Amino acid sequence: MWNPDTQVARARGVSALRSLAQAFRDVGFTEEAATGALSAESPAELLSNTAFYAFCSADQVSELVMSPAGVMIQLFVRNGDVPRDRYAQVVPAALRGLLATLGLVSEEGDAVTPAVSVSPGCSMYFLSDQLFRSDTRVAMARRSTLVMPPHASSFELLDNLGAVGGRLVDVGCGCGVLALALRERCSSVVGVDLNPRAVAYSQVNALVNGAGAGSGASADLGTGVESGAGAEFHLADLRSGLAVDGLADHLIFNSPTGPAHHSEAEIGWMTAEHALRFVVTAMPRVLRPGGVAEVLLIVEVPRDRPSATELVRSWLPEDPDVGVAELRGSPLAISPDAVTRGRLDPGCLMADSADEAARLIGHLRARGIHEVVPALVTLTLPSLS
C-alpha cells in the first residue's frame, strides 16, 4: 500500500509532488478529458460514481491507452493496468520518471500497475487510496481502512454551502478536497481528521495543488493571512475534543453518517444525532462568537417522524433557530418508494452493488426507517452580549 507519509517526509518527494499537477496537465490529463473519455455527464458525476463508469468503459481500454492522457485515465481513474510496452511508448519519459520517483506506479511483469487513485476535479488533482480495481472486472476494496477519493457527499456540501470566508476549519477532511476547494475564498484553512493516513494524503494533495503550508504540532488559524493562503492538515478527533490555536469563522463537517449496514463500520462512523451533538459541543472551542458551523448529515427518518427537519430539530430543542435544508434530489437520498419496493432509485450512490443494496434495504426495513435524507444543518454560535 502506498505510503503518503514517506513522500511528504522526503525532500525529493515534496519536489516531485509539487511538479505532478503540471505534468498531468502537460499530457492532457484533466477532469474534462476524463469525463469525455469515460462518457460521464460531468466531472462531479464521474468522481461520484467512478466505479460505474470504469465498469461501463471496460471494452474501451485498448483505445484509451493510445494517448498519454488515456494512459493516465486508465491507471488512476479506472485503476487498471497498462501494458508495459504501451506505457513506455506513449507516456513521456519525464512523466514516467516522476511517477516512478513517487512510487505511484510499479512494473510487474508485462504490466504497469497503479498504486493510488488520482481524481481530477475542481481544477485540481486528488490522490487517494483505490476503492476498486478494474482489470478484467471491477472489484471493490474493503473500505474501513482506506482514504476515499472525493465523494458525492463532498460535492453536495460544496454546492449547498452558504457564504464561506475568513478562517475555516474542515472537520473530517479525508483527502482534503473540501479544504483545498475552499481555500481561495478564505484567509486561512485548517483540515483535521482522526485518521493519520487521511491527514497524510491531505498534506500530499496540498503539495500537488500548490497549497502546502507545512505542518506543525498544533493547528494555527492565524490572523491577517491573504486570500488563497496554504492549507494545513492535522490529526484530531472531534469526539475527544477539537482544539485549535485561534478561533475560526466557519466550521464545515462532511459527517461520516448514514445507514450502518456494512459488515465493518467506517473509520469514525457515527449516527447523525451524535455527529450533530459533537459539533455543537466543539463549536465554543473552535468558533468565534457569531461563527457558523455547517454539517452534512445523512439522516435516517423513522416511520413515526414526519420529516428529517423535524427529527434534526428534536435533537437540539435548545436551539430553535437551527437551519435544516433537506437535499432530497441528492444521489445520497433513499426515497420512501425505494424502501417500500425494495429497490434503490436509479442513480442512488448509497450502495456499490446489488448485494449491498439488498443489505441496505433490509437494514432500513428492520429498523423501521421510512426514508434516508441528506440534510445540510447550519448552526450559529451566539454572539457575546
Side-chain angles (χ1 to χ4, degrees):
M1 183 174 283
W2 193 69
N3 187 350
D5 279 311
T6 300
Q7 304 304 329
V8 173
R10 295 168 54 237
R12 189 179 180 191
V14 169
S15 176
L17 288 169
R18 286 174 171 159
S19 303
L20 188 60
Q22 188 57 54
F24 282 151
R25 293 187 188 100
D26 287 345
V27 298
F29 177 36
T30 64
E31 57 196 286
E32 293 81 10
T35 300
L38 300 183
S39 302
E41 293 181 7
S42 67
E45 166 68 16
L46 174 60
L47 295 186
S48 297
N49 206 6
T50 308
F52 169 78
Y53 287 102
F55 174 80
C56 293
S57 60
D59 60 352
Q60 301 172 22
V61 173
S62 58
E63 180 181 352
L64 191 63
V65 298
M66 297 299 290
S67 70
V71 169
M72 296 301 104
I73 293 166
Q74 167 65 2
L75 288 170
F76 298 122
V77 180
R78 297 193 74 256
N79 298 327
D81 293 347
V82 172
R84 187 173 180 176
D85 56 351
R86 173 62 60 186
Y87 181 76
Q89 292 169 6
V90 172
V91 179
L95 179 54
R96 297 201 310 270
L98 197 59
L99 298 178
T101 295
L102 291 168
L104 297 179
V105 297
S106 61
E107 297 187 4
E108 301 176 7
D110 293 331
V112 175
T113 299
V116 301
S117 288
V118 180
S119 303
C122 303
S123 301
M124 292 184 283
Y125 298 89
F126 299 99
L127 278 64
S128 66
D129 288 320
Q130 296 172 332
L131 285 188
F132 65 91
R133 287 278 300 157
S134 63
D135 297 315
T136 56
R137 62 187 180 88
V138 174
M140 303 303 295
R142 293 167 66 89
R143 300 190 296 176
S144 65
T145 59
L146 303 181
V147 177
M148 294 179 64
H151 186 259
S153 58
S154 301
F155 299 107
E156 288 291 336
L157 188 50
L158 280 173
D159 289 344
N160 290 281
L161 280 174
V164 176
R167 295 166 293 176
L168 175 74
V169 171
D170 175 15
V171 176
C173 60
C175 71
V177 57
L178 292 175
L180 293 171
L182 293 170
R183 72 184 184 93
E184 293 294 338
R185 305 189 208 174
C186 301
S187 59
S188 64
V189 174
V190 171
V192 297
D193 203 290
L194 58 83
N195 182 356
R197 189 168 177 81
V199 173
Y201 262 114
S202 292
Q203 292 170 339
V204 161
N205 289 327
L207 289 167
V208 169
N209 294 294
S215 61
S218 64
D220 185 0
L221 291 172
T223 57
V225 183
E226 63 181 285
S227 178
E232 296 187 9
F233 297 94
H234 304 273
L235 187 66
D237 187 347
L238 182 64
R239 295 172 297 181
S240 59
L242 173 63
V244 296
D245 296 334
L247 295 177
D249 301 291
H250 216 108
L251 180 154
I252 58 172
F253 184 26
N254 183 9
S255 68
T257 55
H261 60 289
H262 299 290
S263 58
E264 54 178 325
E266 304 282 343
I267 289 178
W269 182 89
M270 56 183 70
T271 68
E273 180 178 3
H274 287 167
L276 189 58
R277 291 191 181 279
F278 285 132
V279 170
V280 170
T281 300
M283 285 173 65
R285 296 194 299 270
V286 177
L287 294 174
R288 62 167 177 78
V292 174
E294 294 190 79
V295 187
L296 183 65
L297 303 175
I298 308 299
V299 182
E300 297 176 88
V301 184
R303 294 191 191 99
D304 61 352
R305 305 309 289 251
S307 69
T309 297
E310 184 275 338
L311 179 59
V312 169
R313 287 179 174 161
S314 75
W315 297 335
L316 299 176
E318 69 281 3
D319 189 354
D321 297 324
V322 58
V324 183
E326 297 185 7
L327 309 177
R328 290 182 171 274
S330 166
L332 305 175
I334 302 176
S335 68
D337 286 346
V339 177
T340 299
R341 69 173 178 263
R343 188 174 66 254
L344 296 180
D345 293 320
C348 179
L349 300 179
M350 291 297 283
D352 296 326
S353 66
D355 287 344
E356 185 180 350
R359 288 196 302 273
L360 171 56
I361 293 293
H363 166 84
L364 297 175
R365 287 174 166 177
R367 297 184 61 244
I369 301 300
H370 171 63
E371 63 178 336
V372 177
V373 180
L376 182 62
V377 180
T378 303
L379 305 158
T380 302
L381 189 66
S383 299
L384 298 176
S385 56

